[in-house]
Amino acid sequence: MSRSAVFLDEMGVGPLWRLRRSEAVAVVAAVAEEAVAAVATPVAEVIAEIVVAPVAAPIIVPPAPAPVPVSVPVPVPVPVSTAVAESDDTAWFDDAPPPPPARQVTDAEIAVMDWDALAAATAKCTRCELCKNRKGVVVGRGDRQGAWLMLASSPSRGEEREGRALPGEQGKLLDNMLKAIDIAPESDVYISHLLKCRPLDEAGQERLPTELETAACRPFFERELALLQPRTIVTLGQMAAAGILPGEKPVRGKVRQLGAAAVVATYHPENLLQDETGKAKARAWGDLCLAKSTHAGRG
């Protein structure tokens, strides 16, 4: 007995058995099979459950609810007056009195005006009610040192629209009338009206000027005469012939006097354009010849 065996026997352990190599391998293999079997069984059961288990019904996802519109507050415009009133710096604005109307120029102020001041004052005149409804003011035009004054009563619709005395066909005919008596229309001639605004009735139709309207506009005409100092005045139309010398009955073919100027009456070019018989044109020729001879005799 070997020394190891003696020790084991004394300890009551008994002999130490050792497996041969082949037996040891077999034992290890058996243990391994048991471990694999223990693990494989649950896996097989899980696979079977996956294959055999019925397919779950598809999950239906309900559609997302439509977005609820969000009301965006719209800024309300603030009236200008309210905005101004809320400002401490401009709070006085609402309580401020309205601007005063344009001041009426007096007769004395008109009497000392030069040509430019007279034209500006005429354009802004508020001396009568015509300023409330007028579409425009027609001031005189031409040579401001001319010896001839062609004078109509009040502007027509075309003159009011153009802002010019005797435009268009009327002006062309007047030019031809002047050329017929050897007067150059572009020089030595000034054209104007007794009234600078067009009188209209409530229906918008042309009418005769009232005495108040005539009196309100008269200082402008008188200042034109003082600045121009014409030798001869030819009135165009019956209203101009009657208005230039109030109280006197106008008569064609007769020379009247206004200050140092000779006054001769004839037809308005608009009347001559409407003359189909030619009689008015023949009479107008006689009026122009009278004016020409009178003018020459005063030279």
Side-chain angles (χ1 to χ4, degrees), residues 93-101:
F93 184 82
D94 290 339
D95 298 329

Side-chain angles (χ1 to χ4, degrees), residues 10 17 26 36-37 66 74 101 110 116 118 124-125 129 144 149 182 206 225 242 244 260 268 270 274 284 291 296-297:
E10 288 292 335
W17 302 96
V36 170
V74 179
I110 296 174
D116 293 337
L118 184 64
K124 298 184 296 183
C125 176
E129 295 297 313
R144 291 178 173 177
L149 172 60
D182 297 326
E206 293 184 11
L225 284 180
I244 192 173
H268 193 285
E270 182 64 25
Q274 299 173 0

Side-chain angles (χ1 to χ4, degrees), residues 169-214:
E169 295 300 319
Q170 299 179 34
K172 292 179 181 178
L173 179 56
L174 179 61
D175 289 349
N176 292 334
M177 292 166 61
L178 294 172
K179 291 177 182 178
I181 55 175
D182 297 326
I183 297 176
E186 65 276 1
S187 62
D188 207 28
V189 177
Y190 188 81
I191 306 172
S192 190
H193 296 87
L194 285 172
L195 267 70
K196 313 307 179 185
C197 299
R198 178 183 173 214
L200 298 176
D201 58 21
E202 295 181 355
Q205 301 299 318
E206 293 184 11
R207 59 167 175 79
L208 295 175
T210 65
E211 293 183 2
L212 291 177
E213 293 165 353
T214 301

Side-chain angles (χ1 to χ4, degrees), residues 50-255:
I50 295 174
V51 174
V52 175
V55 179
I59 300 174
I60 301 176
V61 180
V68 178
V70 179
S71 59
V72 179
V74 179
V76 179
V78 180
V80 176
S81 60
T82 304
V84 174
E86 292 177 354
S87 175
D88 293 335
D89 296 336
T90 57
W92 56 267
F93 184 82
D94 290 339
D95 298 329
R103 186 181 65 85
Q104 295 183 9
V105 292
T106 64
D107 294 0
E109 290 173 328
I110 296 174
V112 296
M113 290 179 176
D114 59 14
W115 280 111
D116 293 337
L118 184 64
T122 303
K124 298 184 296 183
C125 176
T126 58
R127 288 169 58 90
C128 75
E129 295 297 313
L130 292 180
C131 67
K132 296 181 178 180
N133 299 315
R134 69 189 178 201
K135 303 298 183 181
V137 177
V138 181
V139 299
R141 67 176 178 91
D143 186 356
R144 291 178 173 177
Q145 296 179 340
W148 289 81
L149 172 60
M150 303 290 132
L151 185 68
S153 174
S154 58
S156 64
R157 181 174 181 272
E159 290 172 306
E160 184 183 54
R161 182 176 61 249
E162 297 289 334
R164 175 183 172 85
L166 272 71
E169 295 300 319
Q170 299 179 34
K172 292 179 181 178
L173 179 56
L174 179 61
D175 289 349
N176 292 334
M177 292 166 61
L178 294 172
K179 291 177 182 178
I181 55 175
D182 297 326
I183 297 176
E186 65 276 1
S187 62
D188 207 28
V189 177
Y190 188 81
I191 306 172
S192 190
H193 296 87
L194 285 172
L195 267 70
K196 313 307 179 185
C197 299
R198 178 183 173 214
L200 298 176
D201 58 21
E202 295 181 355
Q205 301 299 318
E206 293 184 11
R207 59 167 175 79
L208 295 175
T210 65
E211 293 183 2
L212 291 177
E213 293 165 353
T214 301
C217 214
R218 186 76 184 194
F220 291 111
F221 168 65
E222 291 179 348
R223 186 55 185 166
E224 282 181 315
L225 284 180
L227 292 171
L228 185 64
Q229 297 184 0
R231 286 166 50 192
T232 304
I233 302 173
V234 177
T235 58
L236 306 175
Q238 185 176 2
M239 291 175 59
I244 192 173
L245 292 168
E248 290 189 15
K249 182 179 179 180
V251 179
R252 285 186 46 259
K254 177 182 178 181
V255 178

